[in-house]
Amino acid sequence: MTALLIIVVAIILLVVGYMTYGNWLSKEWGVDPNRETPAVKMADGVDYVAARPAVLLGHHFSSIAGAGPINGPIQASIFGWVPVFLWCVIGGIFFGGVHDYGAMFASVRHDGRSLAEVIKDSMGKRAHKLFIIFALLVLLLVIASFVNVVAGTFFSEAGQFGITTSPTGNQTTAMISLLFIVLAIIYGLATNRMGVGTTPATIAGIIGICLIVVLGLNFGFAMSRTAWIVLICAYITIASLAPVWILLQPRDYLSSFLLYAMMGLAIIGILVSAFTGSATFTIPAFTGWSGINGNSYLFPTLFITVACGACSGFHSLVSTGTSSKQLANERDAQPIGYGSMLIESALGIISLIAVGMVFDKYIASEFGSPAVAFASGIATMFGSDGSTTYNTVRALLTLAVSVFALTSLDTGTRLSRFMFSELFLKDGEATYQDATGARKLLAHPLFGTLLMVVVGGILGGLSLSQIWGLFGAANQLLAGLALMAVAAWLGNVGKNNKMFYIPMVFMLVATLSSLVLTVKGKITLVGGGGAAWGDWFQLIFAAAMIILAIILVVEGFGVLFGKKSAKKA
């Protein structure tokens, strides 16, 4: 019954938070449903494409979710379920929700431009350029991390290639993911070029998902890890340059149904286990300030590790990079920006419950990854280990997690294209065609995309465990900077920005503390002569992040607290 009580209380609190705090934010910021959005007034058929609310919700939710709200809460469960529960709920309502919604609203009021443009408007040109560099470093880690994750869930043994009739789990996941891309393109063409309505297309899409799942369970696709990395990099390059309506929108929209189904299946499993005793929630309420292993500290580790389940800087890049360019009406910003974050918090709680059903095995390192622990925990609620029901549920959930990792990778690559081009454009230059000389080449969408994908793919191919650890701290530091940027802009235009102060300061302190501890540990390792290449990489990257962040914080606080004048929006 503990698990059932946890999810019921969480859902009630999140719903109340949306209806009260979310509505209050909309009123304080002056959200105007009669105001024309960038997607309408700047429609170009490529990036600025007004989407139906349900379609955009699917894109936004799938993009921000990825594997984050599953990996984070499960890894943080070493501190007990109470700290994770409180951070997912409180963090989602008062930190992550404000961060995501605020970033989206600020971008919409800046013609759908990036968070860097919001910073330039309120904090100046130097802060603008520094933030772009910071964001690109984070996106490089996103590409590297998710290339590694996706290739790891697709690859087969070296030498295997082609369609197999007795597929392994990885081969099944790979086949379904490939077919999913084809299905998304068909959906995009049907709804945007053939006049098919959203409802019939959605029904057909869901049927299509069921068919490709059945096909994938019987026929797999095999390739080596290296081959998958090359193919994934080629795919995300094409996907980031293609019009959003043909792949990004439909793929993320259809992916969201897998995520909704996964969450629904988990809730059913929690109900079944509560009344039948098929599985038992065994995570202690609190395991101590240093966790079970004794090697971590609740602060700042918990707030860095949970990430997407409570607050994530990557969300601000999605909100201002793709979603704000597809928002058809400002009133949809609350359900899409704020609501998606709260749904993700609920997914974080579900992940916590899932690992709670197999906690002893998880602590004993019997699972290869948090995603496998998540799938196994929910499968345990439906049947015993090894049963047909258990194996089927486990396979489907592992597939769903892999699909979302690839979705985040798609979006992250497109965001890096936007920001890389923006780095080399001057005031008054809208696209690379307006630039001259070397800047015209550097700002070209293809150049930035290829550079980020190649470097990210190489780092991902090295399988450096340090990349994921760095991503967590850098990602959360980005959240603190995003909160600061939106607060500065709201203050400049005379709107209430006080709700940003506590989340902003807390995220900055937590993440800078984490990075400083990382640098300290790596310096000690280097001094002792035991540092590998990955340790040097982590040391240099973390130090660069700290320096950039401190400069931006000084600039931002100068604007926020009246020590520096800034241009009015």
Side-chain angles (χ1 to χ4, degrees):
M1 284 294 180
T2 302
L4 181 59
L5 181 61
I6 289 173
I7 192 62
V8 168
V9 172
I11 290 174
I12 290 174
L13 291 175
L14 292 171
V15 170
V16 171
Y18 177 86
M19 296 176 66
T20 56
Y21 198 63
N23 289 343
W24 178 75
L25 292 175
S26 297
K27 293 177 182 177
E28 290 296 301
W29 297 342
V31 173
D32 183 2
N34 297 316
R35 185 178 180 132
E36 197 172 44
T37 64
V40 176
K41 68 180 180 181
M42 300 174 65
D44 62 4
V46 179
D47 296 316
Y48 288 85
V49 179
R52 297 175 181 86
V55 174
L56 184 54
L57 177 66
H59 156 69
H60 187 75
F61 184 38
S62 296
S63 296
I64 66 173
I70 293 171
N71 286 348
I74 289 176
Q75 291 174 335
S77 65
I78 60 170
F79 295 107
W81 69 263
V82 170
V84 179
F85 172 86
L86 291 176
W87 179 230
C88 282
V89 173
I90 296 174
I93 294 172
F94 298 105
F95 288 64
V98 174
H99 168 272
D100 295 14
Y101 186 15
M104 181 179 291
F105 178 66
S107 178
V108 168
R109 289 296 176 91
H110 285 79
D111 290 334
R113 300 194 180 194
S114 73
L115 192 60
E117 285 292 323
V118 178
I119 286 178
K120 182 168 70 173
D121 184 44
S122 57
M123 293 165 54
K125 293 180 181 180
R126 183 174 69 167
H128 166 249
K129 295 298 183 184
L130 289 174
F131 180 82
I132 292 177
I133 294 171
F134 185 94
L136 285 172
L137 290 176
V138 175
L139 287 169
L140 192 62
L141 293 178
V142 169
I143 294 172
S145 298
F146 284 102
V147 163
N148 188 20
V149 168
V150 174
T153 57
F154 284 2
F155 87 99
S156 302
E157 294 297 327
Q160 294 184 342
F161 178 81
I163 296 176
T164 61
T165 54
S166 298
T168 64
N170 280 18
Q171 292 165 357
T172 287
T173 301
M175 174 62 86
I176 296 175
S177 297
L178 291 175
L179 293 174
F180 205 96
I181 293 171
V182 176
L183 180 64
I185 294 173
I186 294 172
Y187 180 94
L189 290 170
T191 54
N192 290 278
R193 290 296 182 268
M194 300 178 185
V196 179
T198 301
T199 300
T202 299
I203 294 173
I206 293 174
I207 294 173
I209 292 173
C210 296
L211 291 176
I212 64 175
V213 167
V214 172
L215 187 61
L217 291 172
N218 291 279
F219 299 93
F221 190 80
M223 280 202 310
S224 67
R225 184 173 180 275
T226 301
W228 275 118
I229 289 174
V230 173
L231 183 60
I232 291 167
C233 287
Y235 163 71
I236 60 178
T237 299
I238 296 170
S240 71
L241 296 168
V244 292
W245 62 265
I246 196 170
L247 185 56
L248 188 73
Q249 279 183 356
R251 173 174 161 68
D252 293 355
Y253 175 58
L254 293 175
S255 294
S256 68
F257 286 98
L258 278 177
L259 190 49
Y260 302 144
M262 180 176 75
M263 294 177 68
L265 187 66
I267 291 174
I268 292 172
I270 292 169
L271 289 170
V272 170
S273 64
F275 293 104
T276 65
S278 58
T280 305
F281 185 79
T282 59
I283 299 180
F286 182 58
T287 62
W289 297 105
S290 58
I292 288 178
N293 56 25
N295 297 324
S296 305
Y297 299 98
L298 184 67
F299 182 90
T301 306
L302 173 71
F303 308 100
I304 303 302
T305 305
V306 172
C308 296
C311 185
S312 167
F314 179 64
H315 295 189
S316 67
L317 299 184
V318 176
S319 294
T320 62
T322 57
S323 299
S324 63
K325 295 178 177 64
Q326 302 173 58
L327 193 73
N329 192 296
E330 278 195 6
R331 68 167 172 263
D332 299 329
Q334 182 182 337
I336 293 168
Y338 193 76
S340 289
M341 179 63 245
L342 299 193
I343 297 173
E344 194 165 358
S345 293
L347 178 56
I349 298 295
I350 289 172
S351 301
L352 175 67
I353 293 172
V355 74
M357 301 302 182
V358 289
F359 192 63
D360 293 339
K361 293 182 179 180
Y362 174 70
I363 294 300
S365 301
E366 293 188 22
F367 305 111
S369 68
V372 175
F374 171 81
S376 300
I378 295 177
T380 300
M381 302 177 198
F382 290 91
S384 58
D385 189 350
S387 67
T388 301
T389 302
Y390 174 93
N391 290 337
T392 301
V393 172
R394 188 174 182 269
L396 291 175
L397 290 172
T398 303
L399 163 69
V401 174
S402 299
V403 168
F404 302 127
L406 188 57
T407 297
S408 294
L409 185 56
D410 293 353
T411 302
T413 307
R414 183 176 288 264
L415 295 174
S416 68
R417 167 169 73 83
F418 291 148
M419 303 205 77
F420 197 91
S421 294
E422 189 177 327
L423 182 63
F424 298 99
L425 295 177
K426 293 183 178 180
D427 288 342
E429 295 176 345
T431 70
Y432 76 98
Q433 294 174 327
D434 299 323
T436 58
R439 291 189 302 103
K440 189 167 188 176
L441 171 64
L442 294 171
H444 195 288
L446 184 59
F447 181 87
T449 300
L450 287 175
L451 181 63
M452 293 292 289
V453 169
V454 169
V455 176
I458 291 173
L459 289 174
L462 293 175
S463 297
L464 294 175
S465 59
Q466 289 90 342
I467 290 176
W468 188 259
L470 268 180
F471 168 68
N475 179 52
Q476 299 306 78
L477 183 52
L478 177 62
L481 295 175
L483 287 162
M484 181 182 69
V486 179
W489 169 69
L490 284 171
N492 279 354
V493 297
K495 295 185 182 296
N496 184 5
N497 64 356
K498 301 299 187 294
M499 69 286 292
F500 285 87
Y501 285 5
I502 292 177
M504 171 187 68
V505 172
F506 183 85
M507 296 308 298
L508 290 173
V509 171
T511 50
L512 284 171
S513 298
S514 178
L515 285 171
V516 168
L517 289 173
T518 297
V519 169
K520 180 182 177 182
K522 296 306 173 184
I523 289 176
T524 301
L525 193 60
V526 169
W533 186 91
D535 297 307
W536 279 102
F537 171 80
Q538 202 168 6
L539 171 60
I540 295 170
F541 211 99
M545 287 282 182
I546 291 172
I547 294 170
L548 282 170
I550 289 175
I551 296 173
L552 285 167
V553 168
V554 171
E555 295 272 351
F557 278 33
V559 172
L560 280 170
F561 302 110
K563 297 177 183 178
K564 175 182 175 182
S565 62
K567 185 179 71 173
K568 296 292 181 179

